[in-house]
């Protein structure tokens, strides 16, 4: 990596250390929570049923509470009180519950990065919104809807991992990193680190590739469409979460929307889903 | 009145492309408008080529299974679809490269945008990048193809319930698949996925799939399909299909049968794609079959507007669309043309393949009161035995005297290539004896022509009063 404009010159050393650890696969990657892993396996197994998913979620009390809370939120069941997980699954569908469980179990809380909790939380909100928008874009274009949630959810997984690793590294070497330095490291390292995480978690090739080429989707090969949809999804997410950063007009003018071959009326019909997506996202975050 | 172009072609599928190239070759100033980023239409990007690429791998998988004694083979549990269409990128790239070259060489202007009629000579072109524009032309050819018909009771979501445009976007090869329909696309995908080891159930309201072929051929197809482990449910009317909210799709039939599967493919035919075109502004309307009507010159009811390919309906083949496109242009600019060949071969790339040209036995009997047919089973042909081809058959349909060839039908690997021998004989009005008098390579499947012809000739005496 070229030398970056760090405030503290020692940050460059940390950057090199993280980079070489990533390259040699020695970077400490948070474990994919066991529940998340099982949720993925179960949701891909046609033989599995609601009872199995329910008992899996119940094995993790915090997760069970979270899923019930979401299932009972206005976005999902406006006028019903669900009392059992199994009932919730039957009502909402196994796939939705597994999306909810995935989003909840791989979450901002996985990371220990004192001082950066809010930042990581906002990365996470954005990832979730990207996942949900990605799905809608895929549906609109009759393209891979299935994989998009996972790809969207994980597209920025490298960011919190870099932050955590950088802070760890700084601690161990008694280096002081400024917030700006950490953010610069995050910006420059999240892609290779994200790929390393996805590989360690044994995610499908399409997920690994969509992380690798998120910023340069035109370079993706196997997962080009998927990556373009995630990139577009992220733009819709930014617009939804921080409209002052990206207005509807700016969004519409983004090259990625043209690359997705979305005509104005099609963009508009996607934007019409904003409220739905927002409430789904809030519900998934347990608001 | 002067126009921006002599000819504007809308749509870059097989029909549009050949229409544009023909126009340019005749010295016309031509624009080709395409709403997608890429040229090639359904044929290249959603239909023909991708499905045939998947088929190639399905065949390999099937053969490897069959030759388990040669190589211990099992398809991984979680095979990603992308692996199974792995060569597609290269195929498409090569195709795209060749197509673009042809278009550039012929100085055709390609316009990326979505066309809509303003009037019979003007088109409004919406863009994904930049300002919209209005273009005019003396002649316009509509070649906007078709899209999958969506029955009201089948909520296609492209996640559990797919149509033929989205089926290949599945992430993983599913464990089970329900296929609604018994037409060409349904039969192709059903047998391809079954060959890949997916548990496929094919449902249709008719007793047999591919009802436009004779029953002895479709019986062979159904036999091969069920032999691989597939289930054919004929005479079943689907009432509803839906995602069960858990992990799969439930399909219910009017007779009470319920089928559960991980995914579903709805292949209920295709309809003309005119939804963005506003054809009424050009004085056009869809006919009762949801298609654009044309006369034998491919001219619509508005004299300067022609249509070709899937928008005008059957046979809805890439092969035919190309020729229609070329002809539409020739007619528009007054170039002389022979009659369009009435014998159009149809190729069905199922596993096994099927192909037909000319009359079926059924049609020959309807036309002539009787027919003499000769059959050759591939199992009896040396090449068939060597290659282990089962369920293969070639059938020659002749007039009641057993002299004039009227049609050829083939089921079995190689059918779509083999058919052209019969097609050439038909085009030349050849007597069936031509297959006996000519010498074919040995061992080849083409030898089946000879065997079947001998079977026809053997029946001549009996046919004579
Ligand atoms: C799964 C599948 C398998 C098939 N297999 C075979 C096969 O093996 N052999 C065979 O011969 N045929 C096959 N076909 C049929 C074949 O694909 C079609 O017959 C052929 O593509 C029709 O060509 P077309 O040019 O009419 O339309 P298309 O190929 O559909 O092209 C139409 C083009 O018009 C564009 N368009 C639409 N509206 C507008 C607009 N308003 N402005 C600008 N552009 C517009 C579309 O984007 C598209 O690119 C298959 C089809 C499918 C779906």
């Amino acid at each position: 990596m070229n030398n970056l404009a760090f405030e503290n010159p020692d940050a460059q050393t940390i950057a090199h250390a993280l980079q070489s650890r990533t390259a040699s696969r020695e970077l400490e990657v948070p474990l994919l929570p066991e529940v998340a892993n099982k949720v993925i396996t179960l949701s891909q197994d046609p033989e599995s049923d609601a009872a199995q998913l329910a008992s899996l979620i119940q094995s993790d009390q915090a997760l069970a509470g979270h899923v019930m809370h979401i299932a009972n939120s206005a976005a999902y069941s406006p006028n019903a009180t669900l009392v059992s997980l199994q009932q919730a699954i039957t009502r909402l569908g196994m796939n939705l519950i597994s999306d909810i469980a995935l989003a909840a179990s791989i979450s901002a809380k996985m990371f220990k990065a004192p001082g950066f909790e809010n930042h990581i939380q906002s990365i996470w909100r954005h990832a979730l919104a990207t996942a949900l928008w990605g799905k809608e874009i895929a549906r609109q274009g009759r393209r891979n809807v299935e994989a998009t949630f996972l790809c969207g959810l994980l597209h920025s997984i490298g960011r919190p991992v870099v932050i955590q690793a950088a802070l760890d590294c700084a601690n161990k070497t008694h280096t002081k990193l400024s917030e700006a330095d950490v953010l610069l490291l995050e910006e420059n390292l999240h892609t290779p680190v994200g790929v390393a995480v996805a590989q360690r978690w044994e995610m499908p090739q399409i997920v690994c590739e969509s992380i690798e080429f998120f910023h340069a989707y035109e370079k993706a090969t196997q997962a080009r469409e998927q990556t373009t949809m995630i990139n577009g999804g992220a733009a819709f997410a930014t617009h939804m979460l921080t409209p002052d950063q990206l207005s509807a007009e700016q969004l519409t003018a983004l090259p990625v929307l043209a690359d997705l071959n979305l005509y104005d009326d099609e963009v508009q019909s996607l934007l019409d889903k904003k409220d739905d997506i927002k409430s789904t996202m809030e519900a998934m975050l347990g608001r | 009145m002067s126009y921006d172009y002599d000819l504007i072609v809308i749509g870059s599928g097989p029909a549009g492309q050949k229409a544009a190239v023909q126009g340019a070759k005749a010295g016309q100033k031509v624009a080709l408008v395409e709403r997608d980023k890429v040229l090639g239409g359904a044929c290249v990007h959603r239909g023909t080529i991708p499905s045939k690429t998947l088929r190639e791998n399905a065949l390999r998988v099937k053969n490897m299974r069959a030759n388990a004694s040669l190589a211990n083979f099992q398809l991984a549990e979680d095979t990603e679809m992308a692996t199974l269409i792995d060569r597609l990128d290269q195929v498409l790239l090569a195709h795209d490269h060749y197509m673009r070259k042809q278009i550039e060489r012929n100085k055709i202007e390609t316009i990326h945008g979505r066309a809509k009629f303003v009037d019979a000579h003007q088109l409004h072109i919406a863009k994904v990048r930049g300002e919209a524009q209005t273009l005019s032309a003396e002649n316009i050819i509509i070649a906007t193809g078709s899209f999958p018909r969506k029955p009201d009771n089948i909520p296609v979501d492209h996640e559990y319930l797919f149509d033929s445009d989205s089926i290949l976007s599945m992430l993983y090869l599913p464990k089970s698949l329900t296929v609604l329909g018994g037409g060409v696309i349904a039969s192709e995908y059903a047998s391809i996925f079954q060959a890949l080891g997916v548990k496929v159930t094919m449902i249709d309201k008719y007793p047999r799939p591919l009802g436009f072929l004779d029953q002895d051929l479709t019986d062979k197809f159904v036999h091969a399909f069920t032999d691989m482990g597939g289930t054919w449910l004929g005479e079943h009317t689907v009432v509803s299909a839906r995602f069960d909210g858990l992990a799969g799709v439930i399909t219910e039939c009017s007779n009470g049968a319920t089928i559960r599967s991980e995914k579903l493919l709805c292949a209920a035919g295709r309809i003309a794609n005119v939804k963005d075109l506003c054809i009424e502004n050009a004085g056009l309307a869809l006919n009762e079959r949801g298609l654009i009507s044309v006369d034998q010159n491919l001219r619509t009811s508005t004299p300067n507007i022609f249509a070709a390919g899937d928008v005008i309906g059957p046979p809805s083949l890439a092969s035919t669309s190309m020729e229609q496109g070329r002809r539409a242009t020739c007619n528009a600019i007054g170039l002389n043309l022979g009659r369009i060949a009435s014998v159009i071969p149809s190729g069905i790339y199922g596993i096994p393949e099927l192909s037909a040209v000319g009359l079926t036995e059924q049609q020959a009997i309807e036309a002539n009161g009787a027919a003499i047919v000769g059959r050759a089973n591939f199992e009896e042909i040396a090449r068939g035995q060597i290659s282990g081809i089962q369920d293969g058959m070639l059938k020659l349909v002749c007039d009641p005297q057993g002299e004039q060839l009227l049609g050829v039908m083939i089921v079995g690997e190689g059918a779509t290539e083999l058919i052209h021998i019969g097609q050439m004989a038909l085009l030349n009005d050849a007597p069936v004896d031509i297959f006996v008098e000519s010498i074919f390579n040995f061992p080849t499947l083409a030898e089946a022509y000879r065997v079947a012809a001998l079977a026809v000739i053997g029946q001549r005496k009996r046919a004579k009063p």
Side-chain angles (χ1 to χ4, degrees):
Chain A
M1 181 168 45
N2 294 331
N3 284 356
L4 297 170
F6 288 112
E7 290 180 354
N8 177 353
D10 289 345
Q12 189 68 52
T13 320
I14 292 182
H16 283 306
L18 294 187
Q19 206 179 9
S20 71
R21 265 187 247 164
T22 311
S24 59
R25 298 171 166 257
E26 283 160 17
L27 188 80
E28 218 173 286
V29 162
L31 290 178
L32 178 64
E34 211 182 335
V35 245
N37 206 346
K38 288 190 186 148
V39 171
I40 295 178
T41 318
L42 260 191
S43 61
Q44 277 164 10
D45 177 5
E47 250 97 79
S48 69
D49 57 24
Q52 275 171 293
L53 186 62
S55 74
L56 169 65
I57 296 172
Q58 256 147 9
S59 70
D60 182 322
Q61 273 205 340
L63 181 63
H66 187 78
V67 169
M68 282 313 289
H69 178 66
I70 295 167
N72 271 319
S73 69
Y76 288 113
S77 25
N79 34 18
T81 312
L82 303 165
V83 287
S84 76
L85 251 178
Q86 200 159 342
Q87 189 190 10
I89 296 175
T90 322
R91 184 83 51 86
L92 302 183
M94 184 136 137
N95 210 43
L96 185 54
I97 294 283
S98 58
D99 279 359
I100 293 172
L102 256 186
S105 56
I106 316 174
S107 77
K109 297 191 198 84
M110 274 169 61
F111 301 97
K112 279 160 211 67
F116 286 84
E117 291 87 352
N118 286 345
H119 179 59
I120 292 182
Q121 183 64 31
S122 71
I123 294 175
W124 205 251
R125 280 168 68 88
H126 188 265
L128 187 54
T130 302
L132 294 168
W133 277 109
K135 256 188 148 164
E136 286 315 318
I137 293 176
R139 215 186 298 280
Q140 164 89 268
R142 291 179 285 176
R143 288 295 181 232
N144 204 331
V145 179
E146 256 181 311
T148 325
F149 188 83
L150 201 54
C151 290
L153 195 64
L154 296 183
H155 84 280
S156 53
I157 188 74
R159 292 180 183 273
V161 177
V162 172
I163 297 174
Q164 179 174 316
L167 293 180
D168 276 356
C169 200
N171 253 344
K172 281 188 194 132
T173 55
H174 304 290
T175 316
K176 186 108 191 70
L177 287 181
S178 67
E179 188 181 336
D181 284 348
V182 173
L183 297 183
L184 200 57
L185 283 167
E186 175 199 327
E187 204 47 52
N188 282 280
L189 291 175
H190 74 268
T191 299
V193 169
V195 175
V197 174
Q199 283 170 347
R200 195 78 62 82
W201 287 358
E202 295 180 354
M203 288 291 155
Q205 182 55 31
I206 191 168
V207 176
C208 301
E209 208 184 291
S210 65
I211 297 175
E212 182 171 0
F213 296 107
F214 176 78
H215 296 289
Y217 52 82
E218 68 286 351
K219 295 208 184 98
T221 52
Q222 245 192 45
R224 181 162 333 137
E225 246 171 26
Q226 193 68 41
T227 315
T228 315
M229 291 190 300
I230 297 296
N231 187 297
F236 276 89
T238 306
H239 165 66
M240 179 180 81
L241 298 172
T242 46
D244 47 327
Q245 258 178 45
L246 190 71
S247 67
E249 256 158 44
Q250 288 167 315
L251 171 72
T252 316
L254 285 180
V256 67
L257 296 203
D259 290 333
L260 285 165
N261 208 50
L262 289 170
Y263 287 83
D264 285 350
D265 52 329
E266 294 167 338
V267 173
Q268 194 49 52
S269 73
L270 278 170
L271 281 173
D272 290 343
K273 299 187 198 299
K274 190 157 49 179
D275 289 343
D276 287 347
I277 291 187
K278 199 166 198 162
S279 59
T280 307
M281 187 196 78
E282 296 297 343
M284 277 190 164
L285 287 167
R287 300 286 139 86
Chain B
M1 171 100 200
S2 83
Y3 300 104
D4 301 328
Y5 296 94
D6 299 320
L7 176 70
I8 295 183
V9 180
I10 315 172
S12 71
Q17 240 176 76
K18 298 301 172 219
V21 169
Q22 176 63 57
K25 282 200 190 302
Q28 298 262 301
K29 188 178 180 208
V30 183
L32 178 63
V33 186
E34 170 55 58
R35 73 173 300 276
D36 264 352
K37 281 180 297 186
V38 281
L39 302 179
C43 170
V44 178
H45 302 285
R46 295 179 194 263
T48 318
I49 294 184
S51 64
K52 262 87 266 183
T53 311
L54 177 67
R55 178 182 191 275
E56 207 61 31
N57 276 329
L59 263 187
R60 266 185 229 148
V61 169
K62 180 173 178 274
N63 288 337
M64 283 196 272
R65 279 215 186 89
N67 295 325
S69 56
L70 293 180
N72 201 350
F73 175 77
Q74 230 187 342
L75 199 61
E77 273 274 306
D78 53 352
T79 306
E80 290 179 34
M81 285 295 292
T83 324
L84 292 169
I85 9 185
D86 56 349
R87 291 188 56 251
L88 184 59
D89 263 352
Q90 297 156 28
V91 176
L92 292 187
L93 222 62
H95 202 84
D96 190 64
H97 176 76
Y98 156 78
M99 236 156 39
R100 280 193 192 274
K101 273 249 139 72
Q102 191 188 32
I103 283 167
E104 274 167 29
R105 197 170 56 233
N106 285 291
K107 305 207 165 37
I108 294 163
E109 191 173 336
T110 48
I111 297 171
H112 177 195
R114 200 172 68 189
K116 163 173 125 181
F117 280 99
V118 178
D119 57 38
H121 289 280
Q122 288 192 85
L123 292 170
H124 171 271
I125 315 284
K127 301 284 180 84
V128 290
R129 276 199 174 89
E131 294 288 295
Q133 59 187 133
T134 303
L135 301 175
S136 62
E138 182 169 357
N139 290 305
I140 295 175
I141 294 181
I142 305 176
T144 49
S146 60
F147 66 94
R149 191 172 71 79
K150 281 193 187 59
D152 293 338
N153 54 345
I154 316 292
V156 171
D157 60 5
H158 310 296
E159 193 170 3
Y160 298 97
L161 298 95
F162 293 87
D163 61 26
S164 57
D165 277 359
S166 59
I167 182 75
L168 296 184
S169 75
M170 285 187 300
L171 182 56
Y172 292 102
L173 198 59
K175 293 217 167 50
S176 52
L177 177 74
T178 300
V179 175
L180 306 187
V184 174
I185 291 175
S187 303
E188 287 186 357
Y189 275 131
S191 60
I192 290 172
F193 279 108
Q194 185 60 51
L196 285 165
V198 177
K199 198 173 159 303
V200 178
T201 307
M202 205 177 162
I203 311 177
D204 195 38
K205 59 176 184 279
Y206 296 111
R208 268 177 305 283
L210 304 166
F212 56 93
L213 298 175
D214 283 334
Q215 185 178 341
D216 46 356
L217 273 102
T218 50
D219 281 351
K220 292 253 181 200
F221 175 76
V222 172
H223 181 262
F225 175 63
T226 49
D227 205 43
M228 288 191 289
T231 306
W232 160 252
L233 296 181
E235 297 179 301
H236 275 59
T237 304
V238 172
V239 189
S240 71
R242 62 187 162 84
F243 173 50
D244 71 355
L246 290 168
V249 181
I250 303 181
T251 306
E252 283 171 338
C253 303
S254 59
N255 60 0
T258 303
I259 298 96
R260 286 180 169 275
S261 59
E262 194 179 333
K263 307 273 177 188
L264 176 142
L265 164 64
C266 176
R270 296 178 65 95
I271 50 175
N273 181 16
V274 292
K275 66 177 186 297
D276 301 311
L277 273 182
C278 298
I279 51 173
E280 62 285 359
N281 293 346
L284 294 171
L286 290 181
N287 62 26
E288 67 288 350
R289 294 189 355 258
L291 304 164
I292 294 187
S293 303
V294 289
D295 63 14
Q296 75 276 19
N297 292 324
L298 301 148
R299 193 189 295 268
T300 66
S301 54
T302 302
N304 71 313
I305 300 178
F306 293 72
D310 281 11
V311 264
I312 63 169
S316 299
L317 290 167
S319 53
T320 320
S321 301
M322 292 184 216
E323 179 59 6
Q324 287 171 343
R326 188 180 79 85
R327 283 175 173 264
T329 296
C330 289
N331 291 328
I333 61 182
L335 290 182
N336 256 341
L337 268 174
R339 236 170 17 97
I340 190 160
S342 58
V343 277
I344 296 170
S346 55
I348 298 146
Y349 293 83
I351 295 178
E353 284 180 9
L354 298 115
S355 197
V357 66
L359 300 187
T360 63
E361 181 178 355
Q362 199 57 39
Q363 288 166 335
I365 293 172
E366 277 159 27
N368 303 317
I372 289 188
V373 303
R375 295 187 180 81
N377 285 317
F378 286 2
E379 294 96 303
E380 298 157 16
I381 311 277
R383 182 75 217 205
Q385 292 150 3
I386 294 166
S387 312
I389 299 180
Q390 295 156 344
D391 293 312
M393 181 179 75
L394 180 146
K395 171 171 160 183
L396 298 179
V397 179
C398 299
D399 62 4
Q401 290 71 45
E403 276 161 15
Q404 193 66 39
L405 181 69
L406 301 176
V408 183
M409 287 194 183
I410 311 173
V411 56
E413 280 326 299
T416 54
E417 298 280 2
L418 217 46
I419 199 76
H420 297 123
I421 299 175
Q423 182 185 359
M424 287 304 131
L426 277 176
L427 286 172
N428 287 294
D429 291 328
V432 70
D433 307 69
I434 193 171
F435 300 123
V436 179
E437 285 156 9
S438 47
I439 292 170
F440 291 114
N441 278 326
F442 179 88
T444 55
L445 291 178
E447 205 203 335
Y449 273 104
R450 190 183 170 82
V451 175
L454 284 168
V456 170
I457 293 166
Q459 293 173 67
R460 272 183 196 160
K461 273 206 206 86
R462 270 177 277 152
K464 294 228 169 88

